């Protein structure tokens, strides 16, 4: 659980939880890898939910994975991958969204690293600047983006009735 507390009253102002957090440590380092899952269809509302303040934005603002170097966004696909994933990649090329997400371009100037540099199963990675109090010493968080299809056909398309 992640919460914000009013220091004057001790009251819990806001409470959130991550979907999955995997942690480990040894004698040299500790790490907590947070996975945020979102159901993904072809509609823009799904894409916005994945990319903005209810999804990827939580890693950028530091709500999730404070002082961590890596994280994972997982899109569970309700529609075919070609209808969902390419529009997410294209959206990340938008300058206004890149600014809002504090996106750090790759050395080649691209908004995403594809294929992923961290996880073979991930489609791509993004790197985001963070406030110094919320970041590791290098000042960024790298997020790997995974997309998983259901084992049976699904669709968010509404069928017209006559």
């Amino acid at each position: 659980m992640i919460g914000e507390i009013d220091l004057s009253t001790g009251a819990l102002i806001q409470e959130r939880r991550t979907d999955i957090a995997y942690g480990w440590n040894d004698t040299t380092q500790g790490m907590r890898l947070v996975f945020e899952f979102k159901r993904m269809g072809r509609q823009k509302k799904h894409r916005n939910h994945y990319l903005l303040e209810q999804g990827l934005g939580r890693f950028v603002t530091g709500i999730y994975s404070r002082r961590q170097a890596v994280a994972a966004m997982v899109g569970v696909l309700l529609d075919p991958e070609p209808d969902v994933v390419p529009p997410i990649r294209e959206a990340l090329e938008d300058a206004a969204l890149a600014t809002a997400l504090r996106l750090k371009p790759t050395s080649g100037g691209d908004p995403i690293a594809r294929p992923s540099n961290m996880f073979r199963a991930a489609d791509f990675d993004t790197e985001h600047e963070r406030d110094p109090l919320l970041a590791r010493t290098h000042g960024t968080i790298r997020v790997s983006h995974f997309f998983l299809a259901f084992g049976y056909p699904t669709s968010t398309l509404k069928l017209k009735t006559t």
Side-chain angles (χ1 to χ4, degrees):
M1 294 291 215
I2 301 165
E4 293 182 30
I5 297 176
D6 182 326
L7 296 178
S8 63
T9 66
L12 185 62
I13 300 170
Q14 189 173 47
E15 184 177 40
R16 293 190 180 100
R17 64 168 182 75
T18 57
D19 290 331
I20 295 176
Y22 176 77
W24 72 90
N25 58 23
D26 59 24
T27 57
T28 59
Q29 71 175 1
M31 185 173 204
R32 186 167 189 250
L33 179 60
V34 171
F35 293 81
E36 176 67 5
F37 286 76
K38 296 294 178 195
R39 291 179 299 157
M40 298 294 303
R42 66 183 83 222
Q43 295 86 355
K44 188 172 189 232
K45 69 180 182 177
H46 288 247
R47 193 166 44 258
N48 287 345
H49 192 70
Y50 179 91
L51 292 170
L52 300 177
E53 62 273 354
Q54 298 299 312
L56 182 58
R58 290 182 174 169
F59 292 111
V60 177
T61 61
I63 291 172
Y64 288 172
S65 297
R66 289 184 180 177
R67 290 176 288 289
Q68 297 298 314
V70 298
M73 284 293 300
V74 182
V76 179
L77 302 178
L78 303 175
D79 288 316
E81 186 273 342
D83 295 341
V84 181
V85 180
I88 290 172
R89 289 188 220 116
E90 291 167 15
L92 290 165
E93 294 175 3
D94 178 74
L97 181 61
T99 298
L101 291 174
R102 302 177 72 180
L103 201 57
K104 182 178 177 184
T106 65
S107 59
D110 298 317
I112 66 172
R114 184 166 192 247
S116 169
N117 295 321
M118 292 190 301
F119 297 100
R120 208 176 320 186
D123 188 85
F124 64 89
D125 298 335
T126 54
E127 189 169 6
H128 309 267
E129 300 287 341
R130 290 181 108 179
D131 291 329
L133 293 175
L134 304 173
R136 299 291 273 194
T137 55
H138 52 74
T140 65
I141 186 167
R142 184 175 288 263
V143 180
S144 286
H145 298 259
F146 296 82
F147 298 97
L148 308 173
F150 278 120
Y152 56 88
T154 61
S155 178
T156 61
L157 288 178
K158 304 253 190 242
L159 297 176
K160 292 184 179 184
T161 57
T162 55

